[in-house]
Amino acid sequence: MCFLECKNDKMTNKPSILLIYTGGTIGMIKDYKTKALKTFDFSQIVDKIPELQQLNCKIKSISFEEPIDSSNMNTKYYVDIVEIIEENYQKFDGFVVLTGSDSMSFASSAISFMLENLQKPVIFTGSQLPIGDLRTDAKENLITAIEIASATKNGAPIINEVCLYFEYKLYRANRTTKISAEQFEAFASMNFPPLAESGVHLKFHEHLIHQPKKTANTLIVRKKLVDDVVFLKIFPGISDIVVKSILNIPNLKGVILETYGAGNAPNSENFIQLLKNAINKGIKIINVTQCESGRVLMGHYDTSLLLKKIGVIDGKDITSESAVAKLMYLLNENLSTEDFKCFFEKSLRGEITDISFLKV
Ligand code: ASP
């Protein structure tokens, strides 16, 4: 890890922000020989954006020694990120985490679960074009993410949760999905509105933003995630042998079952029996919709009634990215079957919309 300081560090009574650079396009340059994008020394990022010196905050930065493309992100890197935040939690007023956009929704969702009782902003951002590109989106994303991380009201931070800022919108991180490989508007939060929007003014929608409890609980950092999990996406024609093979992966502890519409799946005897056997072995199966928006409503159709009966857990309106993160987090908590279901089905970090009146 290396620490760098911005020149405006000398001024003291301003919020201090730690930039954590893990890699991704935002810090990449083009190798003009091979035409491929490659990571470069993060110290140059401050040179590339001299505007950073004008922000009304103190900025320090820390970088992964070997920055990664976010396709190489994994749970060990999640731990590296939360450890940097933990070590610097008292010293800084806010954190901006720069990662590649490809797996940013997964990483930021996971980190929202790993940081409990967060009372400071942790803002993920990145870009579609490298910082040195003429038409780059990196400058706006980075500058506004820093502004958001340093925004206060009555002396307290406005944001106290893990967010993702991209192309003029601030989202709750665990509600996001990457929706475009080429548009600057690369992310969406289909089941929850943006927490802030950047236009001529930076507008916070305060009624949507998480408000921490008045009695300040200390930050708890969860560093153990269980990665014996798998996605099982249903499609017409999926065979029993495929389902059986997936559910028999040695050591498997959890499955994100990506179903149709409001949580529907084949109700053939074989398919249900395979799921039932897995549940009886202690494997947690979470029902998450393949749809971009909306929610699972188990029991609404005949094709989800049996899932409910055999003990499949209701993912409600959680994203797949957030569901896998929550699964990895809760699997380490040694919960009884009932408690696991209860914790999974309720909102822990704002990742689920509670609409209990819709229960069937
Ligand atoms: N492949 C890059 C990454 O996710 C893309 C990006 O940075 O947006 O690391």
Side-chain angles (χ1 to χ4, degrees):
M1 305 283 168
C2 61
F3 255 117
L4 298 158
E5 293 192 11
C6 235
K7 281 188 203 122
N8 56 2
D9 224 41
K10 285 169 207 122
M11 302 163 227
T12 47
N13 55 350
K14 296 180 173 182
S16 53
I17 304 301
L18 182 61
L19 281 186
I20 303 168
Y21 178 63
T22 70
T25 301
I26 193 161
M28 287 183 180
I29 44 162
K30 200 169 235 167
D31 181 323
Y32 285 98
K33 277 191 199 129
T34 64
K35 301 266 185 283
L37 288 175
K38 57 175 194 185
T39 51
F40 76 118
D41 176 4
F42 182 66
S43 57
Q44 294 180 35
I45 207 160
V46 180
D47 302 338
K48 290 267 189 254
I49 312 186
E51 294 92 328
L52 289 178
Q53 314 282 344
Q54 292 172 36
L55 288 172
N56 195 27
C57 59
K58 296 173 270 173
I59 303 168
K60 270 196 180 182
S61 58
I62 187 168
S63 168
F64 275 12
E65 238 142 60
E66 284 184 26
I68 55 163
D69 186 291
S70 79
S71 309
N72 289 321
M73 185 57 81
N74 59 35
T75 54
K76 285 196 205 79
Y77 289 125
Y78 293 172
V79 174
D80 290 343
I81 296 170
V82 294
E83 282 184 341
I84 294 172
I85 294 173
E86 183 180 32
E87 279 159 29
N88 292 285
Y89 194 66
Q90 299 308 333
K91 290 184 235 148
F92 290 88
D93 299 298
F95 302 86
V96 172
V97 185
L98 305 174
T99 73
S101 61
D102 287 348
S103 65
M104 194 187 290
S105 290
F106 287 94
S108 56
S109 295
I111 282 161
S112 79
F113 293 108
M114 295 167 86
L115 299 175
E116 195 173 331
N117 300 332
L118 187 63
Q119 311 254 359
K120 295 188 178 185
V122 174
I123 315 294
F124 276 72
T125 195
S127 65
Q128 292 281 59
L129 284 176
I131 200 96
D133 196 288
L134 270 183
R135 294 174 49 253
T136 189
D137 53 331
K139 282 193 184 185
E140 201 288 318
N141 286 348
L142 179 59
I143 289 170
T144 309
I146 296 172
E147 276 197 45
I148 289 168
S150 43
T152 56
K153 192 175 172 186
N154 304 327
I158 296 181
I159 299 293
N160 299 279
E161 54 182 309
V162 180
C163 293
L164 187 156
Y165 181 79
F166 226 88
E167 190 64 4
Y168 304 113
K169 292 202 178 84
L170 179 76
Y171 305 106
R172 176 165 297 146
N174 57 33
R175 292 293 194 144
T176 62
T177 299
K178 186 168 180 185
I179 51 152
S180 176
E182 51 188 55
Q183 305 286 330
F184 284 149
E185 192 162 359
F187 289 88
S189 165
M190 300 302 284
N191 285 331
F192 201 75
L195 304 182
E197 280 162 274
S198 161
V200 173
H201 303 288
L202 191 51
K203 220 193 228 162
F204 289 95
H205 304 302
E206 288 183 49
H207 62 292
L208 299 171
I209 296 169
H210 167 71
Q211 300 301 332
K213 290 196 192 93
K214 290 270 179 307
T215 48
N217 289 321
T218 47
L219 179 75
I220 300 171
V221 184
R222 313 271 180 191
K223 297 184 193 171
K224 288 214 174 99
L225 298 177
V226 174
D227 57 9
D228 303 300
V229 296
V230 73
F231 279 100
L232 172 49
K233 184 169 184 164
I234 302 300
F235 57 91
I238 189 167
S239 69
D240 290 347
I241 182 74
V242 164
V243 175
K244 191 173 176 181
S245 308
I246 290 175
L247 296 177
N248 280 313
I249 292 172
N251 242 341
L252 186 67
K253 307 249 172 19
V255 180
I256 303 297
L257 184 67
E258 292 192 324
T259 57
Y260 305 124
N264 308 314
N267 54 4
S268 71
E269 217 173 289
N270 283 353
F271 178 74
I272 295 295
Q273 192 57 47
L274 288 170
L275 296 183
K276 201 171 166 184
N277 294 346
I279 292 170
N280 289 343
K281 282 198 287 181
I283 295 173
K284 312 293 184 224
I285 302 186
I286 320 295
N287 189 350
V288 173
T289 178
Q290 295 176 13
C291 292
E292 282 184 7
S293 67
R295 62 193 292 122
V296 166
L297 259 185
M298 286 207 289
H300 188 54
Y301 286 91
D302 205 30
T303 43
S304 63
L305 199 55
L306 287 174
L307 298 179
K308 189 175 178 176
K309 281 198 181 136
I310 62 171
V312 170
I313 294 165
D314 190 344
K316 302 188 177 182
D317 65 345
I318 200 167
T319 60
S320 292
E321 292 88 337
S322 195
V324 73
K326 190 172 183 177
L327 182 60
M328 287 172 152
Y329 157 60
L330 285 180
L331 279 171
N332 189 55
E333 297 296 298
N334 268 330
L335 299 166
S336 67
T337 307
E338 293 71 34
D339 284 351
F340 189 97
K341 181 172 160 64
C342 173
F343 275 105
F344 203 102
E345 292 183 351
K346 72 176 183 190
S347 169
L348 300 180
R349 306 280 190 275
E351 73 283 3
I352 278 179
T353 315
D354 182 29
I355 45 163
S356 30
F357 59 88
L358 260 183
K359 272 203 180 111
V360 280

